[in-house]
Amino acid sequence: MSTLVCELCPRECEIPEGGSGDCRIRVNLGGKLRATTYGRPSAIHVDPMEKKPLYHFLPGSPVFSIATAGCNLHCLNCQNWQLSQRGGEEMEQIYRADPRELVKLARDQSCESIAYTYSDPVVFYEYVYDSSEIARESGLHNVFITAGYINIPPLRRLCGLLDATNTDLKAFDDRFYRETNGGTLQPVLDALVTFREEAVWVEVTNLLIPTLNDDLAMIRRMAKWIGRELGTGTPLHFSRFHPQYRMRNLPPTPGDTLDRARAEAMDAGLKYVYVGNVVGHEGNSTYCPVDGTLLIERVGYRITEYNLTDDGRCPLCSEQIPGIWQ
Amino acid sequence: MRQYFRHLRDIQLLGLVCVTLVFIGLFLTAQLQQLEPKGSGWRRIDIELLQKRLESGDLSDHEAAWYHPEIEGEGDVRDGEPGR
């Protein structure tokens, strides 16, 4: 009976014969570790890039978005828990799409990119890797929407195939990670730095949960860290919490909490700080950090005004806005 | 006699409070254990159902990357600590 050690994420699960990793989908069968959801997504949608959210990466373009069952975090407020907190064998809906078919489907839907998203693509790493290779050969972009709970060697290897990531930084607090997500903070910070080192376009999302991670001093520390380690041009998205799954005891994030967090992060030096899950908020849009010109107006996931030049500059002062615009 | 019964009722009430506190304590302990990150965690799964869905092609037996057989004593060294 051989026990296997999974090296993919910081949990490094020791998996006995017939068991799965903590993620539920990496299974020890006959002394070999099997990626049981390889080529078997349970969610396939075409989304706007803004839904990921990626605001500085091919704005307005459709992105072919997929996920399989399983996750290596267990967030009490998970919005995709029916997908992420189940193993493949528990899923009613499973599609069959090997990497080549997946890329063909994306192209048939006129998508320029594939997003590995919804649950956490870390756990279906091999499927992401092989699909990304074929997607890149076909001229498609690869987008990795993740909580960044992954070991550095596999991440570094994958980065060569990735174009952009939105990484969830759930709080700048290890205790929060342990109590709310079942993980730890440092591996996520290391992953973010690795993305930057490997020249993957990085945007960061922070879901603000009332009383748990909305302390302004912590938000300031987080913003300072992002500015120092990833650059002040890194977009930061503050997202509104809605009570769900195992966290129904807290109210939705008040609007002024989001406003204060945005002001704090901008005061700490970040140039592009957004507010998400609040339709019509001025923080949905992109402004020039030099002269305040409205560059991209968004209402929800829709772009209603686009004033950037073709090479991504402010039309008034020619400030270069960081991002991948076309 | 009346005093005896009042005393008995007090003891019963005290007992009920103690039992309730024990149940609350057990519930909280169970919840906290659930919240702890599992460093060397693994899960029991419905292996029969998995095999069935593998055979039907609903799931895949593609070999994963990034793993190795456990070396003797490896688990003792890590001692279940998450996040290196």
Side-chain angles (χ1 to χ4, degrees), chain A residues 21-45:
Chain A
D22 187 62
C23 61
R24 297 180 166 93
I25 61 165
R26 301 173 74 79
V27 182
N28 179 351
L29 288 176
K32 287 192 173 172
L33 195 63
R34 307 290 176 172
T36 58
T37 60
Y38 183 98
R40 299 294 185 272
S42 283
I44 300 181
H45 299 284

PDB file of all heavy atoms in Angstrom, chain A residues 21-45:
ATOM      1  N   GLY A  21      -6.555  13.708  -2.274  1.00  0.00           N
ATOM      2  CA  GLY A  21      -5.992  14.847  -1.574  1.00  0.00           C
ATOM      3  C   GLY A  21      -7.112  15.669  -0.960  1.00  0.00           C
ATOM      4  O   GLY A  21      -8.302  15.386  -1.183  1.00  0.00           O
ATOM      5  N   ASP A  22      -6.729  16.680  -0.227  1.00  0.00           N
ATOM      6  CA  ASP A  22      -7.725  17.547   0.393  1.00  0.00           C
ATOM      7  C   ASP A  22      -8.638  18.193  -0.660  1.00  0.00           C
ATOM      8  O   ASP A  22      -9.776  18.549  -0.375  1.00  0.00           O
ATOM      9  CB  ASP A  22      -6.990  18.625   1.202  1.00  0.00           C
ATOM     10  CG  ASP A  22      -7.937  19.459   2.012  1.00  0.00           C
ATOM     11  OD1 ASP A  22      -8.614  18.912   2.886  1.00  0.00           O
ATOM     12  OD2 ASP A  22      -8.036  20.670   1.734  1.00  0.00           O
ATOM     13  N   CYS A  23      -8.126  18.289  -1.882  1.00  0.00           N
ATOM     14  CA  CYS A  23      -8.884  18.915  -2.974  1.00  0.00           C
ATOM     15  C   CYS A  23     -10.003  18.028  -3.508  1.00  0.00           C
ATOM     16  O   CYS A  23     -10.819  18.469  -4.309  1.00  0.00           O
ATOM     17  CB  CYS A  23      -7.925  19.243  -4.111  1.00  0.00           C
ATOM     18  SG  CYS A  23      -7.104  17.786  -4.789  1.00  0.00           S
ATOM     19  N   ARG A  24     -10.009  16.750  -3.134  1.00  0.00           N
ATOM     20  CA  ARG A  24     -11.027  15.764  -3.517  1.00  0.00           C
ATOM     21  C   ARG A  24     -10.874  15.172  -4.924  1.00  0.00           C
ATOM     22  O   ARG A  24     -11.583  14.240  -5.272  1.00  0.00           O
ATOM     23  CB  ARG A  24     -12.453  16.337  -3.427  1.00  0.00           C
ATOM     24  CG  ARG A  24     -12.888  16.744  -2.035  1.00  0.00           C
ATOM     25  CD  ARG A  24     -14.311  17.301  -2.095  1.00  0.00           C
ATOM     26  NE  ARG A  24     -14.926  17.411  -0.785  1.00  0.00           N
ATOM     27  CZ  ARG A  24     -14.881  18.514  -0.040  1.00  0.00           C
ATOM     28  NH1 ARG A  24     -14.229  19.577  -0.474  1.00  0.00           N
ATOM     29  NH2 ARG A  24     -15.468  18.544   1.136  1.00  0.00           N
ATOM     30  N   ILE A  25      -9.982  15.723  -5.743  1.00  0.00           N
ATOM     31  CA  ILE A  25      -9.964  15.238  -7.130  1.00  0.00           C
ATOM     32  C   ILE A  25      -8.641  14.621  -7.541  1.00  0.00           C
ATOM     33  O   ILE A  25      -8.536  14.045  -8.618  1.00  0.00           O
ATOM     34  CB  ILE A  25     -10.337  16.351  -8.133  1.00  0.00           C
ATOM     35  CG1 ILE A  25      -9.354  17.513  -8.071  1.00  0.00           C
ATOM     36  CG2 ILE A  25     -11.754  16.818  -7.905  1.00  0.00           C
ATOM     37  CD1 ILE A  25      -9.480  18.421  -9.275  1.00  0.00           C
ATOM     38  N   ARG A  26      -7.618  14.716  -6.717  1.00  0.00           N
ATOM     39  CA  ARG A  26      -6.335  14.079  -7.010  1.00  0.00           C
ATOM     40  C   ARG A  26      -6.295  12.808  -6.157  1.00  0.00           C
ATOM     41  O   ARG A  26      -6.203  12.882  -4.927  1.00  0.00           O
ATOM     42  CB  ARG A  26      -5.180  15.033  -6.726  1.00  0.00           C
ATOM     43  CG  ARG A  26      -5.311  16.318  -7.579  1.00  0.00           C
ATOM     44  CD  ARG A  26      -4.302  17.378  -7.224  1.00  0.00           C
ATOM     45  NE  ARG A  26      -2.964  17.080  -7.697  1.00  0.00           N
ATOM     46  CZ  ARG A  26      -2.545  17.259  -8.942  1.00  0.00           C
ATOM     47  NH1 ARG A  26      -3.367  17.748  -9.850  1.00  0.00           N
ATOM     48  NH2 ARG A  26      -1.311  16.973  -9.286  1.00  0.00           N
ATOM     49  N   VAL A  27      -6.379  11.674  -6.837  1.00  0.00           N
ATOM     50  CA  VAL A  27      -6.673  10.417  -6.145  1.00  0.00           C
ATOM     51  C   VAL A  27      -5.540   9.411  -6.355  1.00  0.00           C
ATOM     52  O   VAL A  27      -5.022   9.265  -7.473  1.00  0.00           O
ATOM     53  CB  VAL A  27      -8.010   9.815  -6.677  1.00  0.00           C
ATOM     54  CG1 VAL A  27      -8.348   8.529  -5.942  1.00  0.00           C
ATOM     55  CG2 VAL A  27      -9.147  10.824  -6.524  1.00  0.00           C
ATOM     56  N   ASN A  28      -5.173   8.729  -5.279  1.00  0.00           N
ATOM     57  CA  ASN A  28      -4.166   7.664  -5.334  1.00  0.00           C
ATOM     58  C   ASN A  28      -4.859   6.354  -5.740  1.00  0.00           C
ATOM     59  O   ASN A  28      -5.575   5.742  -4.949  1.00  0.00           O
ATOM     60  CB  ASN A  28      -3.497   7.527  -3.960  1.00  0.00           C
ATOM     61  CG  ASN A  28      -2.455   6.420  -3.923  1.00  0.00           C
ATOM     62  OD1 ASN A  28      -2.326   5.632  -4.867  1.00  0.00           O
ATOM     63  ND2 ASN A  28      -1.694   6.357  -2.835  1.00  0.00           N
ATOM     64  N   LEU A  29      -4.632   5.954  -6.990  1.00  0.00           N
ATOM     65  CA  LEU A  29      -5.197   4.692  -7.474  1.00  0.00           C
ATOM     66  C   LEU A  29      -4.052   3.794  -7.928  1.00  0.00           C
ATOM     67  O   LEU A  29      -3.309   4.168  -8.844  1.00  0.00           O
ATOM     68  CB  LEU A  29      -6.147   4.935  -8.649  1.00  0.00           C
ATOM     69  CG  LEU A  29      -7.503   5.578  -8.339  1.00  0.00           C
ATOM     70  CD1 LEU A  29      -8.279   5.843  -9.624  1.00  0.00           C
ATOM     71  CD2 LEU A  29      -8.326   4.700  -7.403  1.00  0.00           C
ATOM     72  N   GLY A  30      -3.900   2.697  -7.259  1.00  0.00           N
ATOM     73  CA  GLY A  30      -2.858   1.743  -7.639  1.00  0.00           C
ATOM     74  C   GLY A  30      -1.453   2.315  -7.527  1.00  0.00           C
ATOM     75  O   GLY A  30      -0.572   1.965  -8.310  1.00  0.00           O
ATOM     76  N   GLY A  31      -1.262   3.204  -6.563  1.00  0.00           N
ATOM     77  CA  GLY A  31       0.082   3.772  -6.349  1.00  0.00           C
ATOM     78  C   GLY A  31       0.454   4.868  -7.335  1.00  0.00           C
ATOM     79  O   GLY A  31       1.607   5.279  -7.395  1.00  0.00           O
ATOM     80  N   LYS A  32      -0.508   5.325  -8.114  1.00  0.00           N
ATOM     81  CA  LYS A  32      -0.258   6.475  -9.002  1.00  0.00           C
ATOM     82  C   LYS A  32      -1.288   7.549  -8.703  1.00  0.00           C
ATOM     83  O   LYS A  32      -2.468   7.238  -8.459  1.00  0.00           O
ATOM     84  CB  LYS A  32      -0.361   6.059 -10.469  1.00  0.00           C
ATOM     85  CG  LYS A  32       0.832   5.233 -10.904  1.00  0.00           C
ATOM     86  CD  LYS A  32       0.876   5.059 -12.395  1.00  0.00           C
ATOM     87  CE  LYS A  32       2.206   4.369 -12.760  1.00  0.00           C
ATOM     88  NZ  LYS A  32       2.256   3.997 -14.161  1.00  0.00           N
ATOM     89  N   LEU A  33      -0.859   8.781  -8.754  1.00  0.00           N
ATOM     90  CA  LEU A  33      -1.790   9.880  -8.487  1.00  0.00           C
ATOM     91  C   LEU A  33      -2.542  10.214  -9.771  1.00  0.00           C
ATOM     92  O   LEU A  33      -1.923  10.446 -10.818  1.00  0.00           O
ATOM     93  CB  LEU A  33      -1.033  11.109  -7.972  1.00  0.00           C
ATOM     94  CG  LEU A  33      -1.916  12.189  -7.324  1.00  0.00           C
ATOM     95  CD1 LEU A  33      -2.615  11.659  -6.076  1.00  0.00           C
ATOM     96  CD2 LEU A  33      -1.107  13.423  -6.975  1.00  0.00           C
ATOM     97  N   ARG A  34      -3.848  10.207  -9.686  1.00  0.00           N
ATOM     98  CA  ARG A  34      -4.689  10.449 -10.867  1.00  0.00           C
ATOM     99  C   ARG A  34      -5.356  11.808 -10.757  1.00  0.00           C
ATOM    100  O   ARG A  34      -5.899  12.145  -9.699  1.00  0.00           O
ATOM    101  CB  ARG A  34      -5.780   9.386 -10.980  1.00  0.00           C
ATOM    102  CG  ARG A  34      -5.255   7.964 -10.950  1.00  0.00           C
ATOM    103  CD  ARG A  34      -4.493   7.627 -12.190  1.00  0.00           C
ATOM    104  NE  ARG A  34      -3.909   6.293 -12.093  1.00  0.00           N
ATOM    105  CZ  ARG A  34      -3.316   5.680 -13.116  1.00  0.00           C
ATOM    106  NH1 ARG A  34      -3.203   6.278 -14.286  1.00  0.00           N
ATOM    107  NH2 ARG A  34      -2.805   4.476 -12.952  1.00  0.00           N
ATOM    108  N   ALA A  35      -5.326  12.551 -11.865  1.00  0.00           N
ATOM    109  CA  ALA A  35      -6.051  13.820 -11.946  1.00  0.00           C
ATOM    110  C   ALA A  35      -7.424  13.480 -12.527  1.00  0.00           C
ATOM    111  O   ALA A  35      -7.608  13.449 -13.740  1.00  0.00           O
ATOM    112  CB  ALA A  35      -5.299  14.785 -12.839  1.00  0.00           C
ATOM    113  N   THR A  36      -8.387  13.201 -11.650  1.00  0.00           N
ATOM    114  CA  THR A  36      -9.630  12.549 -12.103  1.00  0.00           C
ATOM    115  C   THR A  36     -10.543  13.463 -12.915  1.00  0.00           C
ATOM    116  O   THR A  36     -11.477  12.982 -13.550  1.00  0.00           O
ATOM    117  CB  THR A  36     -10.424  11.987 -10.904  1.00  0.00           C
ATOM    118  OG1 THR A  36     -10.705  13.060 -10.007  1.00  0.00           O
ATOM    119  CG2 THR A  36      -9.641  10.907 -10.185  1.00  0.00           C
ATOM    120  N   THR A  37     -10.298  14.773 -12.870  1.00  0.00           N
ATOM    121  CA  THR A  37     -11.168  15.665 -13.651  1.00  0.00           C
ATOM    122  C   THR A  37     -10.451  16.183 -14.906  1.00  0.00           C
ATOM    123  O   THR A  37     -10.931  17.126 -15.533  1.00  0.00           O
ATOM    124  CB  THR A  37     -11.665  16.849 -12.808  1.00  0.00           C
ATOM    125  OG1 THR A  37     -10.523  17.595 -12.347  1.00  0.00           O
ATOM    126  CG2 THR A  37     -12.488  16.395 -11.620  1.00  0.00           C
ATOM    127  N   TYR A  38      -9.335  15.550 -15.259  1.00  0.00           N
ATOM    128  CA  TYR A  38      -8.620  15.952 -16.477  1.00  0.00           C
ATOM    129  C   TYR A  38      -9.555  15.782 -17.682  1.00  0.00           C
ATOM    130  O   TYR A  38     -10.079  14.682 -17.938  1.00  0.00           O
ATOM    131  CB  TYR A  38      -7.373  15.104 -16.646  1.00  0.00           C
ATOM    132  CG  TYR A  38      -6.518  15.488 -17.832  1.00  0.00           C
ATOM    133  CD1 TYR A  38      -5.408  16.311 -17.671  1.00  0.00           C
ATOM    134  CD2 TYR A  38      -6.825  15.029 -19.107  1.00  0.00           C
ATOM    135  CE1 TYR A  38      -4.626  16.659 -18.759  1.00  0.00           C
ATOM    136  CE2 TYR A  38      -6.056  15.390 -20.200  1.00  0.00           C
ATOM    137  CZ  TYR A  38      -4.958  16.201 -20.016  1.00  0.00           C
ATOM    138  OH  TYR A  38      -4.186  16.559 -21.095  1.00  0.00           O
ATOM    139  N   GLY A  39      -9.776  16.877 -18.397  1.00  0.00           N
ATOM    140  CA  GLY A  39     -10.642  16.813 -19.577  1.00  0.00           C
ATOM    141  C   GLY A  39     -12.113  16.640 -19.241  1.00  0.00           C
ATOM    142  O   GLY A  39     -12.910  16.279 -20.116  1.00  0.00           O
ATOM    143  N   ARG A  40     -12.485  16.872 -17.982  1.00  0.00           N
ATOM    144  CA  ARG A  40     -13.872  16.666 -17.561  1.00  0.00           C
ATOM    145  C   ARG A  40     -14.379  17.889 -16.790  1.00  0.00           C
ATOM    146  O   ARG A  40     -14.628  17.833 -15.581  1.00  0.00           O
ATOM    147  CB  ARG A  40     -13.978  15.428 -16.650  1.00  0.00           C
ATOM    148  CG  ARG A  40     -13.544  14.133 -17.312  1.00  0.00           C
ATOM    149  CD  ARG A  40     -14.478  13.722 -18.455  1.00  0.00           C
ATOM    150  NE  ARG A  40     -14.120  12.428 -18.993  1.00  0.00           N
ATOM    151  CZ  ARG A  40     -13.234  12.241 -19.973  1.00  0.00           C
ATOM    152  NH1 ARG A  40     -12.605  13.273 -20.530  1.00  0.00           N
ATOM    153  NH2 ARG A  40     -12.971  11.014 -20.409  1.00  0.00           N
ATOM    154  N   PRO A  41     -14.563  19.018 -17.497  1.00  0.00           N
ATOM    155  CA  PRO A  41     -15.070  20.210 -16.804  1.00  0.00           C
ATOM    156  C   PRO A  41     -16.524  20.038 -16.386  1.00  0.00           C
ATOM    157  O   PRO A  41     -17.271  19.290 -17.022  1.00  0.00           O
ATOM    158  CB  PRO A  41     -14.932  21.318 -17.858  1.00  0.00           C
ATOM    159  CG  PRO A  41     -14.930  20.598 -19.160  1.00  0.00           C
ATOM    160  CD  PRO A  41     -14.323  19.247 -18.917  1.00  0.00           C
ATOM    161  N   SER A  42     -16.888  20.711 -15.324  1.00  0.00           N
ATOM    162  CA  SER A  42     -18.291  20.697 -14.877  1.00  0.00           C
ATOM    163  C   SER A  42     -18.939  22.067 -15.065  1.00  0.00           C
ATOM    164  O   SER A  42     -20.128  22.218 -14.800  1.00  0.00           O
ATOM    165  CB  SER A  42     -18.377  20.282 -13.409  1.00  0.00           C
ATOM    166  OG  SER A  42     -18.200  18.884 -13.305  1.00  0.00           O
ATOM    167  N   ALA A  43     -18.165  23.049 -15.471  1.00  0.00           N
ATOM    168  CA  ALA A  43     -18.729  24.377 -15.764  1.00  0.00           C
ATOM    169  C   ALA A  43     -18.048  24.911 -17.010  1.00  0.00           C
ATOM    170  O   ALA A  43     -16.811  24.893 -17.106  1.00  0.00           O
ATOM    171  CB  ALA A  43     -18.499  25.327 -14.596  1.00  0.00           C
ATOM    172  N   ILE A  44     -18.851  25.332 -17.979  1.00  0.00           N
ATOM    173  CA  ILE A  44     -18.330  25.953 -19.209  1.00  0.00           C
ATOM    174  C   ILE A  44     -19.241  27.136 -19.535  1.00  0.00           C
ATOM    175  O   ILE A  44     -20.454  26.972 -19.665  1.00  0.00           O
ATOM    176  CB  ILE A  44     -18.346  24.966 -20.407  1.00  0.00           C
ATOM    177  CG1 ILE A  44     -17.490  23.730 -20.110  1.00  0.00           C
ATOM    178  CG2 ILE A  44     -17.879  25.656 -21.675  1.00  0.00           C
ATOM    179  CD1 ILE A  44     -17.443  22.717 -21.264  1.00  0.00           C
ATOM    180  N   HIS A  45     -18.660  28.314 -19.633  1.00  0.00           N
ATOM    181  CA  HIS A  45     -19.440  29.509 -19.987  1.00  0.00           C
ATOM    182  C   HIS A  45     -18.571  30.440 -20.824  1.00  0.00           C
ATOM    183  O   HIS A  45     -17.351  30.394 -20.732  1.00  0.00           O
ATOM    184  CB  HIS A  45     -19.859  30.289 -18.733  1.00  0.00           C
ATOM    185  CG  HIS A  45     -20.717  29.504 -17.802  1.00  0.00           C
ATOM    186  ND1 HIS A  45     -22.040  29.249 -18.030  1.00  0.00           N
ATOM    187  CD2 HIS A  45     -20.419  28.894 -16.622  1.00  0.00           C
ATOM    188  CE1 HIS A  45     -22.525  28.518 -17.042  1.00  0.00           C
ATOM    189  NE2 HIS A  45     -21.559  28.283 -16.182  1.00  0.00           N
TER     190      HIS A  45
END
